[in-house]
Amino acid sequence: MTEREFQNTTLTQEDEQQSIVLCPICGEPVNNHSAEELYTVDIVESDFRIRTLDDDILDTWLVFCHHCFYVTHDFTQIPNEIGKVQNVIESDMYRDKFTDTNPTTLELFEIYLFMLEEVKALPTVFADTYLRMSWLYDDDGNDVLASEFREKAIVSFAKALLLGDMDEKDVSMIYYYIAELSRRKGEFDRAKKSLLKMDMEIPMFKRLFDMQSVLIRDRNQSAVVMPREENL
């Protein structure tokens, strides 16, 4: 989850007025997100999943261009190494993954993940995608795949740490994610070790540490509601 997503709790109608943009790949006009979408956040869970009073944000997090079939979560962002992206989405292997023009949320995530693998995206991008896919499997009641994708997210977060070039807040956030996802998998020792690596001088992480410490102590593997003061 980005800091912007963490801080913003409501999407306003004004934010959605610019929903029609140009696809950065083919230049055709596309609907970035439906203009009628208006989400009011109800709760934020311990892995930063946003639960709204309306629909599931996961169902609209990914969008795709019906002209060139480029999948993204924001058409206004021009992808790095755009040439590689174009080569992937023009390939038969990629196009064949679209069995119709109305893919399910999970199918869209699987296609997006294939593209990320082909262009060798950054570990943080993989981690975020794996995390969201674990939520989808949670919703389907598939505990095995939910756990598997949490582990994939943990591995990708660890790879991001090895790359370095992050400030202390970003590093602490990754350690928090590893702790949270490890706890959800029942890996309490790993969760505790990761939690201790956060920068406790940053107030937000001290509060997150206090919350997670209780959950780890109680060997709680469930998603819990983040205390309201954490929704900064």
Side-chain angles (χ1 to χ4, degrees), residues 59-153:
D59 289 334
T60 54
W61 188 69
L62 287 177
V63 287
F64 76 98
C65 174
H66 286 77
H67 305 282
C68 69
F69 295 100
Y70 171 56
V71 179
T72 183
H73 60 89
D74 185 357
F75 280 122
T76 64
Q77 295 182 7
I78 299 175
N80 295 329
E81 298 186 280
I82 191 170
K84 288 185 178 180
V85 174
Q86 288 175 318
N87 288 337
V88 172
I89 67 174
E90 289 173 359
S91 68
D92 291 338
M93 188 176 297
Y94 180 84
R95 293 297 182 93
D96 288 345
K97 293 184 178 299
F98 282 90
T99 56
D100 56 49
T101 57
N102 189 31
T104 65
T105 300
L106 182 55
E107 287 172 341
L108 209 54
F109 267 88
E110 290 172 341
I111 294 169
Y112 180 62
L113 183 57
F114 172 80
M115 183 179 67
L116 295 181
E117 291 168 345
E118 291 297 303
V119 301
K120 296 179 172 55
L122 291 173
T124 49
V125 179
F126 276 104
D128 187 49
T129 305
Y130 289 140
L131 174 61
R132 293 171 191 270
M133 292 181 76
S134 75
W135 299 341
L136 290 174
Y137 289 118
D138 269 338
D139 293 345
D140 287 343
N142 193 328
D143 296 338
V144 173
L145 283 179
S147 180
E148 179 182 320
F149 274 81
R150 286 193 181 97
E151 185 64 28
K152 288 176 180 288

Side-chain angles (χ1 to χ4, degrees), residues 15-228:
D15 294 328
E16 298 297 335
Q17 292 303 312
Q18 299 179 358
S19 61
I20 303 300
V21 298
L22 298 182
C23 172
I25 302 298
C26 67
E28 294 290 339
V30 288
N31 191 353
N32 209 28
H33 289 287
S34 300
E36 67 272 13
E37 286 174 1
L38 180 63
Y39 295 122
T40 301
V41 168
D42 182 20
I43 61 172
V44 178
E45 295 180 345
S46 50
D47 58 3
F48 297 120
R49 181 173 185 177
I50 296 173
R51 299 282 188 175
T52 77
L53 296 174
D54 309 282
D55 297 320
D56 189 347
I57 292 178
L58 273 176
D59 289 334
T60 54
W61 188 69
L62 287 177
V63 287
F64 76 98
C65 174
H66 286 77
H67 305 282
C68 69
F69 295 100
Y70 171 56
V71 179
T72 183
H73 60 89
D74 185 357
F75 280 122
T76 64
Q77 295 182 7
I78 299 175
N80 295 329
E81 298 186 280
I82 191 170
K84 288 185 178 180
V85 174
Q86 288 175 318
N87 288 337
V88 172
I89 67 174
E90 289 173 359
S91 68
D92 291 338
M93 188 176 297
Y94 180 84
R95 293 297 182 93
D96 288 345
K97 293 184 178 299
F98 282 90
T99 56
D100 56 49
T101 57
N102 189 31
T104 65
T105 300
L106 182 55
E107 287 172 341
L108 209 54
F109 267 88
E110 290 172 341
I111 294 169
Y112 180 62
L113 183 57
F114 172 80
M115 183 179 67
L116 295 181
E117 291 168 345
E118 291 297 303
V119 301
K120 296 179 172 55
L122 291 173
T124 49
V125 179
F126 276 104
D128 187 49
T129 305
Y130 289 140
L131 174 61
R132 293 171 191 270
M133 292 181 76
S134 75
W135 299 341
L136 290 174
Y137 289 118
D138 269 338
D139 293 345
D140 287 343
N142 193 328
D143 296 338
V144 173
L145 283 179
S147 180
E148 179 182 320
F149 274 81
R150 286 193 181 97
E151 185 64 28
K152 288 176 180 288
I154 290 169
V155 171
S156 292
F157 278 128
K159 289 179 179 178
L161 288 173
L162 292 175
L163 292 178
D165 195 30
M166 288 184 287
D167 61 29
E168 190 56 43
K169 186 173 183 180
D170 289 336
V171 169
S172 291
M173 183 59 77
I174 286 180
Y175 279 126
Y176 173 80
Y177 268 122
I178 293 175
E180 161 69 12
L181 297 176
S182 296
R183 178 186 67 80
R184 295 291 303 280
K185 286 173 51 63
E187 301 282 348
F188 298 110
D189 287 340
R190 181 170 66 179
K192 186 184 301 183
K193 290 177 182 178
S194 185
L195 205 62
L196 290 170
K197 294 178 181 178
M198 297 191 310
D199 186 347
M200 301 303 173
E201 294 185 2
I202 301 176
M204 180 180 76
F205 292 109
K206 178 59 171 67
R207 293 195 295 271
L208 290 173
F209 175 86
D210 292 341
M211 178 193 71
Q212 283 288 339
S213 295
V214 173
L215 297 173
I216 293 171
R217 181 200 66 194
D218 295 343
R219 304 183 76 80
N220 186 338
Q221 292 182 236
S222 64
V224 299
V225 177
M226 197 82 79
R228 282 293 178 180

